[in-house]
Amino acid sequence: MKKYPLALVLSEEHADIIAEFSAFIQKLEALSGTEIDLSGIYPAAFPNYTVELIQTLQEKHFHERTFK
């Protein structure tokens, strides 16, 4: 969090979201000292996902142009 500070603002009328978020944070705190596989949980947030997507689109575009 020090390197990439985040903020989440929720109003009191969203008590259900606040409760879910609090439970999520408590689970993360319990994992202190362990490695969390964020790329497995949020694959689209990592560069390799974007690179693979671009490569797939390039291959599809090349294939479509080659066989028209």
Side-chain angles (χ1 to χ4, degrees):
M1 295 294 282
K2 290 178 186 176
K3 187 173 181 181
Y4 302 106
L6 301 172
L8 176 64
V9 178
L10 296 170
S11 65
E12 291 179 7
E13 62 194 39
H14 294 110
D16 56 334
I17 297 172
I18 293 170
E20 284 186 48
F21 187 74
S22 294
F24 175 75
I25 294 297
Q26 288 174 355
K27 286 179 188 176
L28 286 181
E29 289 173 346
L31 297 173
S32 180
T34 62
E35 191 170 318
I36 301 170
D37 180 22
L38 291 177
S39 64
I41 298 170
Y42 305 108
F46 289 82
N48 58 332
Y49 173 87
T50 305
V51 170
E52 290 173 13
L53 181 61
I54 291 170
Q55 288 173 336
T56 300
L57 292 173
Q58 284 178 326
E59 290 169 6
K60 181 180 177 186
H61 180 71
F62 175 77
H63 182 74
E64 289 176 354
R65 289 184 62 194
T66 304
F67 296 104
K68 278 190 176 183

Coordinates of all heavy atoms in Angstrom, one line a residue:
M1 N 0.8 -1.2 0.0 CA 0.0 0.0 0.0 C 0.9 1.3 0.0 O 0.4 2.3 -0.5 CB -0.9 0.0 1.2 CG -2.0 -1.1 1.2 SD -3.2 -1.0 -0.1 CE -4.2 0.3 0.5
K2 N 2.1 1.2 0.5 CA 2.9 2.4 0.5 C 3.3 2.8 -0.9 O 3.4 4.0 -1.2 CB 4.2 2.1 1.4 CG 3.9 2.0 2.8 CD 5.2 1.6 3.6 CE 4.8 1.4 5.1 NZ 6.0 1.0 5.8
K3 N 3.6 1.8 -1.7 CA 4.0 2.1 -3.1 C 2.9 2.6 -4.0 O 3.0 3.5 -4.8 CB 4.7 0.9 -3.7 CG 5.3 1.2 -5.1 CD 6.1 0.0 -5.6 CE 6.7 0.3 -6.9 NZ 7.5 -0.9 -7.4
Y4 N 1.7 2.0 -3.8 CA 0.5 2.3 -4.6 C -0.7 2.6 -3.7 O -1.5 1.8 -3.5 CB 0.1 1.2 -5.6 CG 1.3 0.8 -6.5 CD1 2.0 -0.3 -6.3 CD2 1.6 1.7 -7.6 CE1 3.0 -0.7 -7.2 CE2 2.6 1.3 -8.4 CZ 3.3 0.2 -8.2 OH 4.3 -0.2 -9.1
P5 N -0.7 3.8 -3.1 CA -1.8 4.1 -2.1 C -3.2 4.1 -2.8 O -3.3 4.5 -4.0 CB -1.4 5.5 -1.6 CG -0.4 6.0 -2.5 CD 0.2 4.9 -3.3
L6 N -4.1 3.6 -2.1 CA -5.5 3.5 -2.7 C -6.5 4.1 -1.7 O -6.2 4.2 -0.5 CB -5.9 2.0 -2.9 CG -5.0 1.2 -3.8 CD1 -5.4 -0.3 -3.7 CD2 -5.1 1.7 -5.2
A7 N -7.6 4.5 -2.2 CA -8.7 5.0 -1.4 C -10.0 4.5 -1.9 O -10.2 4.3 -3.1 CB -8.7 6.5 -1.4
L8 N -10.9 4.2 -1.0 CA -12.2 3.7 -1.3 C -13.2 4.5 -0.4 O -13.0 4.4 0.9 CB -12.4 2.2 -1.1 CG -13.8 1.6 -1.3 CD1 -14.2 1.8 -2.7 CD2 -13.8 0.2 -0.9
V9 N -14.1 5.2 -0.9 CA -15.0 6.0 -0.2 C -16.4 5.4 -0.3 O -16.9 5.3 -1.5 CB -15.0 7.5 -0.6 CG1 -16.1 8.2 0.2 CG2 -13.7 8.0 -0.5
L10 N -17.0 5.0 0.8 CA -18.4 4.4 0.7 C -19.2 5.2 1.7 O -18.8 5.5 2.8 CB -18.3 2.9 1.2 CG -17.6 2.0 0.3 CD1 -17.4 0.6 0.9 CD2 -18.3 1.8 -1.1
S11 N -20.5 5.4 1.3 CA -21.4 6.1 2.2 C -22.0 5.1 3.1 O -22.0 3.9 2.9 CB -22.4 6.9 1.4 OG -23.2 5.9 0.7
E12 N -22.5 5.6 4.2 CA -23.1 4.7 5.2 C -24.4 4.0 4.7 O -24.7 2.9 5.2 CB -23.5 5.6 6.4 CG -22.4 6.1 7.2 CD -22.8 6.9 8.4 OE1 -24.0 7.0 8.7 OE2 -21.9 7.5 9.0
E13 N -24.9 4.5 3.6 CA -26.1 3.8 3.1 C -25.7 2.5 2.3 O -26.6 1.7 2.0 CB -26.9 4.7 2.1 CG -26.1 5.1 0.9 CD -26.7 6.3 0.2 OE1 -27.2 7.2 0.8 OE2 -26.7 6.3 -1.1
H14 N -24.5 2.2 2.1 CA -24.0 1.0 1.5 C -23.4 0.0 2.5 O -22.3 -0.5 2.4 CB -23.0 1.3 0.4 CG -23.5 2.1 -0.7 ND1 -23.2 3.4 -0.9 CD2 -24.4 1.8 -1.7 CE1 -23.8 3.9 -2.0 NE2 -24.5 2.9 -2.5
A15 N -24.2 -0.2 3.6 CA -23.7 -1.0 4.7 C -23.4 -2.4 4.2 O -22.4 -3.0 4.8 CB -24.8 -1.1 5.8
D16 N -24.1 -3.0 3.3 CA -23.8 -4.3 2.8 C -22.4 -4.4 2.1 O -21.7 -5.3 2.3 CB -24.9 -4.8 1.9 CG -25.1 -3.9 0.7 OD1 -24.9 -2.7 0.8 OD2 -25.6 -4.4 -0.4
I17 N -22.1 -3.4 1.3 CA -20.8 -3.3 0.6 C -19.7 -3.1 1.7 O -18.6 -3.7 1.6 CB -20.8 -2.2 -0.4 CG1 -21.8 -2.5 -1.5 CG2 -19.4 -2.1 -1.0 CD1 -22.0 -1.4 -2.5
I18 N -19.9 -2.3 2.6 CA -19.0 -2.0 3.7 C -18.7 -3.3 4.4 O -17.5 -3.6 4.7 CB -19.4 -0.9 4.6 CG1 -19.5 0.4 3.9 CG2 -18.6 -0.8 5.9 CD1 -20.2 1.6 4.6
A19 N -19.7 -4.1 4.8 CA -19.5 -5.3 5.5 C -18.7 -6.3 4.7 O -17.8 -7.0 5.2 CB -20.9 -5.9 5.9
E20 N -19.0 -6.4 3.4 CA -18.2 -7.4 2.5 C -16.8 -6.9 2.4 O -15.9 -7.7 2.4 CB -18.9 -7.4 1.1 CG -20.1 -8.2 1.0 CD -20.6 -8.4 -0.4 OE1 -19.8 -8.7 -1.3 OE2 -21.8 -8.2 -0.6
F21 N -16.6 -5.6 2.2 CA -15.2 -5.1 2.1 C -14.4 -5.3 3.4 O -13.3 -5.7 3.3 CB -15.2 -3.6 1.7 CG -13.9 -3.1 1.4 CD1 -13.3 -3.4 0.2 CD2 -13.3 -2.2 2.3 CE1 -12.0 -2.9 -0.1 CE2 -12.0 -1.8 2.0 CZ -11.4 -2.1 0.8
S22 N -15.1 -5.1 4.5 CA -14.4 -5.3 5.8 C -14.0 -6.8 5.9 O -12.9 -7.1 6.4 CB -15.3 -4.9 6.9 OG -15.5 -3.5 6.9
A23 N -14.9 -7.7 5.6 CA -14.6 -9.1 5.7 C -13.4 -9.5 4.7 O -12.5 -10.2 5.1 CB -15.8 -9.9 5.3
F24 N -13.4 -8.9 3.5 CA -12.3 -9.1 2.6 C -11.0 -8.6 3.2 O -9.9 -9.3 3.1 CB -12.6 -8.4 1.3 CG -11.5 -8.5 0.3 CD1 -11.2 -9.6 -0.4 CD2 -10.7 -7.3 0.0 CE1 -10.2 -9.7 -1.3 CE2 -9.7 -7.4 -0.9 CZ -9.4 -8.6 -1.6
I25 N -10.9 -7.4 3.8 CA -9.7 -6.9 4.3 C -9.3 -7.7 5.5 O -8.1 -8.0 5.7 CB -9.9 -5.4 4.8 CG1 -10.2 -4.5 3.6 CG2 -8.8 -4.9 5.6 CD1 -9.1 -4.4 2.6
Q26 N -10.2 -8.2 6.3 CA -9.8 -9.0 7.5 C -9.2 -10.4 7.0 O -8.2 -10.8 7.6 CB -11.0 -9.3 8.4 CG -11.5 -8.1 9.2 CD -12.8 -8.3 9.9 OE1 -13.4 -9.4 9.8 NE2 -13.1 -7.4 10.7
K27 N -9.7 -10.9 5.9 CA -9.1 -12.1 5.4 C -7.7 -11.9 4.9 O -6.8 -12.7 5.1 CB -9.9 -12.7 4.2 CG -11.2 -13.3 4.7 CD -12.0 -13.8 3.5 CE -13.4 -14.3 3.9 NZ -14.2 -14.7 2.8
L28 N -7.5 -10.7 4.2 CA -6.1 -10.4 3.7 C -5.2 -10.2 4.9 O -4.0 -10.6 4.8 CB -6.2 -9.1 2.9 CG -6.7 -9.2 1.5 CD1 -6.7 -7.8 0.8 CD2 -6.0 -10.2 0.7
E29 N -5.7 -9.5 6.0 CA -4.8 -9.3 7.1 C -4.4 -10.6 7.8 O -3.3 -10.8 8.3 CB -5.5 -8.4 8.2 CG -5.7 -7.0 7.7 CD -6.5 -6.2 8.7 OE1 -7.2 -6.8 9.5 OE2 -6.5 -4.9 8.6
A30 N -5.3 -11.6 7.7 CA -5.0 -12.9 8.2 C -3.9 -13.6 7.4 O -3.2 -14.5 7.9 CB -6.2 -13.8 8.3
L31 N -3.7 -13.2 6.2 CA -2.7 -13.8 5.3 C -1.3 -13.1 5.4 O -0.4 -13.4 4.6 CB -3.1 -13.8 3.9 CG -4.4 -14.6 3.5 CD1 -4.8 -14.3 2.1 CD2 -4.1 -16.1 3.7
S32 N -1.2 -12.2 6.4 CA 0.1 -11.5 6.5 C 1.3 -12.4 6.5 O 1.3 -13.4 7.2 CB 0.0 -10.7 7.8 OG 1.2 -10.0 8.0
G33 N 2.3 -12.0 5.7 CA 3.5 -12.9 5.6 C 3.4 -14.0 4.6 O 4.4 -14.7 4.4
T34 N 2.2 -14.1 4.0 CA 2.1 -15.1 2.9 C 2.0 -14.4 1.6 O 1.6 -13.3 1.5 CB 0.9 -16.1 3.1 OG1 -0.3 -15.3 3.1 CG2 1.0 -16.8 4.5
E35 N 2.2 -15.1 0.5 CA 2.1 -14.6 -0.8 C 0.7 -14.8 -1.3 O 0.2 -15.9 -1.3 CB 3.2 -15.2 -1.7 CG 3.3 -14.5 -3.0 CD 4.5 -14.9 -3.8 OE1 5.5 -15.1 -3.3 OE2 4.3 -15.1 -5.1
I36 N 0.1 -13.8 -1.9 CA -1.2 -13.8 -2.4 C -1.1 -13.9 -4.0 O -0.4 -13.0 -4.5 CB -2.1 -12.6 -2.0 CG1 -2.2 -12.6 -0.5 CG2 -3.5 -12.7 -2.6 CD1 -2.8 -11.3 0.1
D37 N -1.7 -14.8 -4.6 CA -1.7 -15.0 -6.1 C -2.6 -14.0 -6.7 O -3.7 -14.3 -7.2 CB -2.0 -16.4 -6.5 CG -1.9 -16.6 -8.0 OD1 -1.3 -15.8 -8.7 OD2 -2.5 -17.5 -8.5
L38 N -2.2 -12.7 -6.7 CA -3.1 -11.7 -7.3 C -3.3 -11.9 -8.8 O -4.4 -11.6 -9.4 CB -2.6 -10.3 -7.0 CG -2.6 -9.8 -5.6 CD1 -2.0 -8.5 -5.4 CD2 -4.1 -9.8 -5.1
S39 N -2.3 -12.4 -9.5 CA -2.4 -12.6 -11.0 C -3.5 -13.7 -11.2 O -4.1 -13.6 -12.3 CB -1.1 -12.9 -11.6 OG -0.6 -14.1 -11.1
G40 N -3.6 -14.6 -10.3 CA -4.6 -15.6 -10.5 C -6.0 -15.1 -10.2 O -7.0 -15.5 -10.8
I41 N -6.1 -14.1 -9.3 CA -7.4 -13.6 -8.9 C -7.8 -12.5 -9.8 O -9.0 -12.4 -10.2 CB -7.3 -13.0 -7.4 CG1 -7.0 -14.1 -6.4 CG2 -8.6 -12.3 -7.0 CD1 -6.6 -13.6 -5.1
Y42 N -6.9 -11.6 -10.3 CA -7.2 -10.5 -11.2 C -6.2 -10.5 -12.4 O -5.4 -9.7 -12.5 CB -7.0 -9.2 -10.4 CG -7.8 -9.0 -9.2 CD1 -7.2 -9.1 -7.9 CD2 -9.2 -8.9 -9.2 CE1 -7.9 -9.0 -6.8 CE2 -9.9 -8.8 -8.1 CZ -9.3 -8.8 -6.8 OH -10.0 -8.7 -5.7
P43 N -6.4 -11.5 -13.3 CA -5.4 -11.7 -14.4 C -5.4 -10.5 -15.3 O -4.4 -10.2 -15.9 CB -5.9 -13.0 -15.1 CG -7.4 -13.1 -14.7 CD -7.4 -12.5 -13.3
A44 N -6.5 -9.8 -15.5 CA -6.6 -8.7 -16.5 C -5.8 -7.5 -15.9 O -5.6 -6.5 -16.7 CB -8.0 -8.3 -16.8
A45 N -5.4 -7.5 -14.7 CA -4.7 -6.3 -14.2 C -3.1 -6.5 -14.4 O -2.4 -5.6 -13.9 CB -5.0 -6.2 -12.7
F46 N -2.7 -7.5 -15.1 CA -1.3 -7.7 -15.2 C -0.9 -7.6 -16.7 O -1.6 -8.0 -17.6 CB -0.9 -9.1 -14.6 CG -0.9 -9.1 -13.1 CD1 -2.1 -9.2 -12.5 CD2 0.2 -8.9 -12.4 CE1 -2.2 -9.2 -11.1 CE2 0.1 -8.8 -11.0 CZ -1.1 -9.0 -10.3
P47 N 0.4 -7.1 -16.9 CA 0.8 -6.9 -18.3 C 0.8 -8.1 -19.2 O 0.4 -8.0 -20.4 CB 2.3 -6.4 -18.1 CG 2.3 -5.9 -16.8 CD 1.4 -6.7 -16.0
N48 N 1.1 -9.3 -18.7 CA 1.1 -10.5 -19.5 C -0.3 -10.8 -20.1 O -0.4 -11.3 -21.2 CB 1.6 -11.7 -18.8 CG 0.9 -12.1 -17.6 OD1 0.3 -11.2 -16.9 ND2 0.9 -13.3 -17.2
Y49 N -1.4 -10.4 -19.4 CA -2.7 -10.6 -19.9 C -2.9 -9.7 -21.2 O -3.4 -10.1 -22.2 CB -3.8 -10.2 -18.9 CG -5.2 -10.2 -19.4 CD1 -5.9 -11.3 -19.4 CD2 -5.8 -9.0 -19.8 CE1 -7.3 -11.3 -19.8 CE2 -7.1 -9.0 -20.3 CZ -7.8 -10.1 -20.3 OH -9.1 -10.1 -20.7
T50 N -2.5 -8.4 -21.1 CA -2.6 -7.5 -22.2 C -1.8 -7.9 -23.4 O -2.2 -7.9 -24.5 CB -2.2 -6.1 -21.7 OG1 -3.0 -5.7 -20.6 CG2 -2.4 -5.1 -22.8
V51 N -0.5 -8.4 -23.1 CA 0.3 -8.8 -24.2 C -0.3 -10.0 -24.9 O -0.3 -10.1 -26.1 CB 1.7 -9.2 -23.7 CG1 2.6 -9.9 -24.7 CG2 2.4 -7.9 -23.2
E52 N -0.8 -11.0 -24.2 CA -1.4 -12.2 -24.7 C -2.7 -11.8 -25.5 O -2.9 -12.3 -26.6 CB -1.8 -13.2 -23.7 CG -0.6 -13.9 -23.1 CD -0.9 -14.8 -21.9 OE1 -2.1 -15.1 -21.7 OE2 0.0 -15.1 -21.2
L53 N -3.4 -10.8 -25.0 CA -4.6 -10.4 -25.8 C -4.2 -9.7 -27.1 O -4.8 -10.0 -28.1 CB -5.4 -9.4 -24.9 CG -6.7 -8.8 -25.5 CD1 -7.7 -10.0 -25.8 CD2 -7.3 -7.8 -24.6
I54 N -3.2 -8.9 -27.1 CA -2.8 -8.2 -28.3 C -2.2 -9.2 -29.3 O -2.5 -9.2 -30.5 CB -1.7 -7.1 -28.0 CG1 -2.3 -6.0 -27.2 CG2 -1.0 -6.7 -29.2 CD1 -1.3 -5.0 -26.6
Q55 N -1.5 -10.2 -28.8 CA -1.0 -11.2 -29.7 C -2.1 -12.0 -30.3 O -2.1 -12.4 -31.5 CB 0.0 -12.2 -28.9 CG 1.3 -11.5 -28.6 CD 2.2 -12.4 -27.7 OE1 1.7 -13.3 -27.0 NE2 3.5 -12.2 -27.7
T56 N -3.1 -12.4 -29.5 CA -4.2 -13.1 -30.1 C -5.0 -12.3 -31.1 O -5.3 -12.8 -32.2 CB -5.2 -13.4 -28.9 OG1 -4.5 -14.2 -28.0 CG2 -6.4 -14.2 -29.4
L57 N -5.2 -11.0 -30.9 CA -5.8 -10.2 -31.9 C -5.0 -10.0 -33.1 O -5.5 -10.0 -34.3 CB -6.1 -8.8 -31.3 CG -7.1 -8.8 -30.2 CD1 -7.2 -7.4 -29.5 CD2 -8.5 -9.2 -30.7
Q58 N -3.7 -9.9 -33.0 CA -2.8 -9.8 -34.2 C -2.9 -11.1 -35.0 O -3.0 -11.1 -36.2 CB -1.3 -9.6 -33.7 CG -1.0 -8.2 -33.3 CD 0.4 -8.0 -32.9 OE1 1.0 -8.9 -32.3 NE2 1.0 -6.9 -33.1
E59 N -2.8 -12.3 -34.3 CA -2.9 -13.5 -35.0 C -4.2 -13.7 -35.7 O -4.3 -14.1 -36.9 CB -2.7 -14.7 -34.0 CG -1.3 -14.8 -33.5 CD -1.1 -15.7 -32.3 OE1 -2.1 -16.4 -32.0 OE2 0.0 -15.8 -31.8
K60 N -5.3 -13.3 -35.1 CA -6.6 -13.4 -35.7 C -6.7 -12.5 -36.9 O -7.2 -12.9 -38.0 CB -7.7 -13.0 -34.7 CG -9.1 -13.1 -35.2 CD -10.2 -12.7 -34.2 CE -11.5 -12.7 -34.9 NZ -12.6 -12.2 -34.0
H61 N -6.2 -11.3 -36.8 CA -6.2 -10.3 -37.9 C -5.4 -10.8 -39.0 O -5.8 -10.8 -40.2 CB -5.7 -8.9 -37.4 CG -5.7 -7.9 -38.5 ND1 -6.8 -7.3 -39.0 CD2 -4.6 -7.3 -39.2 CE1 -6.5 -6.5 -39.9 NE2 -5.2 -6.4 -40.0
F62 N -4.2 -11.4 -38.7 CA -3.3 -11.9 -39.8 C -4.0 -13.1 -40.5 O -4.0 -13.2 -41.7 CB -2.0 -12.4 -39.2 CG -1.1 -13.1 -40.1 CD1 -0.4 -12.4 -41.1 CD2 -1.0 -14.5 -40.1 CE1 0.4 -13.0 -42.0 CE2 -0.2 -15.2 -41.0 CZ 0.5 -14.4 -42.0
H63 N -4.6 -14.0 -39.7 CA -5.3 -15.1 -40.2 C -6.5 -14.7 -41.2 O -6.6 -15.2 -42.2 CB -5.9 -16.0 -39.1 CG -6.6 -17.2 -39.6 ND1 -5.9 -18.3 -40.1 CD2 -7.9 -17.6 -39.6 CE1 -6.8 -19.3 -40.4 NE2 -8.0 -18.8 -40.1
E64 N -7.2 -13.7 -40.8 CA -8.3 -13.2 -41.6 C -7.8 -12.6 -42.9 O -8.4 -12.7 -43.9 CB -9.2 -12.2 -40.8 CG -10.0 -12.8 -39.7 CD -10.8 -11.8 -38.8 OE1 -10.6 -10.6 -39.0 OE2 -11.5 -12.2 -38.0
R65 N -6.7 -11.8 -42.8 CA -6.2 -11.2 -44.0 C -5.6 -12.2 -44.9 O -5.7 -12.0 -46.1 CB -5.1 -10.1 -43.6 CG -5.7 -8.9 -42.9 CD -4.7 -7.9 -42.6 NE -4.1 -7.4 -43.9 CZ -3.0 -6.7 -44.0 NH1 -2.4 -6.4 -42.9 NH2 -2.5 -6.3 -45.1
T66 N -5.0 -13.2 -44.4 CA -4.3 -14.3 -45.2 C -5.3 -15.1 -46.0 O -5.1 -15.5 -47.1 CB -3.5 -15.2 -44.3 OG1 -2.5 -14.3 -43.6 CG2 -2.7 -16.2 -45.2
F67 N -6.5 -15.4 -45.4 CA -7.4 -16.3 -46.0 C -8.6 -15.6 -46.6 O -9.7 -16.3 -46.8 CB -7.8 -17.4 -45.0 CG -6.7 -18.2 -44.5 CD1 -6.0 -18.0 -43.3 CD2 -6.2 -19.2 -45.4 CE1 -4.9 -18.8 -42.9 CE2 -5.1 -20.0 -45.0 CZ -4.5 -19.8 -43.8
K68 N -8.5 -14.4 -46.9 CA -9.7 -13.7 -47.6 C -9.5 -13.8 -49.1 O -8.6 -13.9 -49.7 CB -9.7 -12.2 -47.2 CG -10.4 -12.1 -45.9 CD -10.7 -10.6 -45.6 CE -11.5 -10.5 -44.3 NZ -11.8 -9.1 -44.0

